[in-house]
Amino acid sequence: MKKTIKKIIITLLLAVSTSAFAKEFDWSKCWCNYGGGLENGDFLLNIGTGIHSDPLRYNDGWFWPSLEVSGEYVHKIWVLPFSFGANIGWARYGYSNHNFDLTNNMLYTGANVKYHIQFPPEKLDLYVVHKFGFMRESWEEEYADRTEDHTKLSLYSHFALGASYYFSESIGFNLELGYPLVIKGGVSIKL
């Protein structure tokens, strides 16, 4: 698992570094332009699946791929390329140990803010995202002699680095690295 994540990070770094030698690119404007053909006023829909970080902590951990859907409105603040939106996600994981089983369901919803950066190639959109909101966890602890159910509502706040590569005017592939989803891949659609 760790080797796969390292390979993906190295591939992203190579893609960015090889595109860094583009001769026709205006580097003085990369911090104030959207990549991937995004324009002020666009709406985005992102649908993705990934691996939640919690089951990776346990030797006997298991998980279902997490799901996340987000919608965003692309709008500049001053000259800075931002997008603002909302997200909803779900994760299910657990682990087993001799006389103990844990199953955890997480449902989270909240807002997100992305700062975009333009790098070559033109179809690539790099960003940093801050996601924050509410998370509802419900878990079941199963012991040899009893079962306990628990529920907790909490606030969450996390950051991720991401990239979207648009194959056409409106559809692209999206990849994020961060927390609590260690890695998330999916589809980005411009509406």
Side-chain angles (χ1 to χ4, degrees):
M1 180 65 201
K2 290 182 181 180
K3 288 182 181 182
T4 304
I5 293 173
K6 285 181 184 178
K7 287 179 186 178
I8 290 170
I9 291 171
I10 289 170
T11 303
L12 282 174
L13 290 174
L14 285 174
V16 170
S17 66
T18 55
S19 65
F21 297 104
K23 295 178 183 175
E24 303 283 326
F25 187 72
D26 184 4
W27 289 99
S28 66
K29 301 286 186 189
C30 69
W31 61 275
C32 62
N33 288 325
Y34 294 102
L38 295 180
E39 295 179 8
N40 211 28
D42 282 347
F43 285 96
L44 301 176
L45 176 65
N46 300 303
I47 302 167
T49 184
I51 299 170
H52 197 277
S53 62
D54 283 353
L56 301 177
R57 297 184 296 176
Y58 308 109
N59 290 336
D60 299 327
W62 58 269
F63 64 91
W64 288 10
S66 301
L67 301 173
E68 186 175 288
V69 177
S70 67
E72 302 168 37
Y73 177 66
V74 177
H75 186 70
K76 285 192 173 189
I77 296 180
W78 182 53
V79 296
L80 300 177
F82 281 96
S83 62
F84 305 90
N87 60 66
I88 186 166
W90 172 81
R92 179 179 172 92
Y93 64 88
Y95 69 92
S96 297
N97 196 348
H98 304 293
N99 293 325
F100 177 75
D101 289 324
L102 171 79
T103 302
N104 192 354
N105 286 294
M106 299 172 63
L107 179 65
Y108 56 93
T109 186
N112 63 56
V113 177
K114 289 183 181 176
Y115 174 69
H116 300 261
I117 302 170
Q118 181 187 31
F119 277 103
E122 289 180 17
K123 296 181 177 187
L124 180 66
D125 177 42
L126 298 175
Y127 60 86
V128 176
V129 60
H130 179 219
K131 297 179 183 180
F132 52 94
F134 295 97
M135 181 182 316
R136 181 184 184 276
E137 290 184 80
S138 58
W139 67 96
E140 180 182 274
E141 297 174 351
E142 192 172 320
Y143 300 92
D145 59 343
R146 70 187 189 285
T147 300
E148 296 178 7
D149 292 319
H150 305 278
T151 302
K152 176 174 83 170
L153 183 65
S154 60
L155 296 173
Y156 74 90
S157 173
H158 64 269
F159 289 90
L161 298 174
S164 296
Y165 187 85
Y166 288 90
F167 298 103
S168 70
E169 286 284 319
S170 60
I171 298 176
F173 175 75
N174 178 270
L175 181 68
E176 280 185 16
L177 303 172
Y179 179 83
L181 296 182
V182 176
I183 186 167
K184 181 183 76 122
V187 176
S188 293
I189 303 167
K190 291 185 221 176
L191 303 173

